[in-house]
Amino acid sequence: MQNLFSTAIPEAALKKALGYFQQGAAELRPYLHALTPDERSAMLKMGAKTVDFVRKTYDYASANPSFVPIFVDVEEFARDAAAVQGLAPVQQLLDGLALDTESTLMLAGSDAYAAALALYNNIKFLAKNQHPGAQAAYDDLSQQFPGNGGGRPPKALKG
């Protein structure tokens, strides 16, 4: 059986990291805003190429007040641009960490599920051969696969 992940993450490291993330979230929460999916899809999106455009436009507006239409609040524009500049490195760090965390969960989860399926299949075999205690364990575990007839894991998942 292939083992894709073989790292024991110390509980102390997990607790410490979680504490840091909770502290960071609490620090930023008053300044963050949640959007609905509809709100998100209706918004203008600022990407990597747009950042330079926004900065240059702000520079022109600051140097040439006559360029600014009456309905544009340059001070608000400056606050918004500063928020983007300040949050961008936080978002980049979180995106990378989220991707690596998701990948690690996927590796560890795949290994754990493969081991569980191998054990389950062995318990199933032992139950068929009337090994003491195996039938009760099989009956309990087979409830995980109610739609596959007879407690069989899906074919793609058999270990």
Side-chain angles (χ1 to χ4, degrees), residues 60-122:
Y60 280 119
S62 296
N64 302 285
S66 64
F67 289 1
V68 181
I70 195 164
F71 56 86
V72 173
D73 182 341
V74 177
E75 288 179 18
E76 184 60 34
F77 181 19
R79 280 191 292 274
D80 292 343
V84 169
Q85 184 177 359
L87 284 172
V90 174
Q91 183 67 53
Q92 289 170 347
L93 175 68
L94 293 174
D95 286 348
L97 187 61
L99 182 61
D100 291 349
T101 302
E102 182 181 350
S103 295
T104 303
L105 276 168
M106 189 176 283
L107 286 169
S110 179
D111 283 352
Y113 193 35
L117 288 173
L119 289 165
Y120 172 76
N121 285 326
N122 194 56

Side-chain angles (χ1 to χ4, degrees), residues 31-54:
Y31 310 103
L32 302 178
H33 299 273
L35 296 173
T36 67
D38 287 342
E39 290 170 328
R40 294 176 70 85
S41 68
M43 292 234 165
L44 290 171
K45 312 294 188 295
M46 186 170 162
K49 293 179 182 177
T50 317
V51 172
D52 193 43
F53 170 77
V54 169

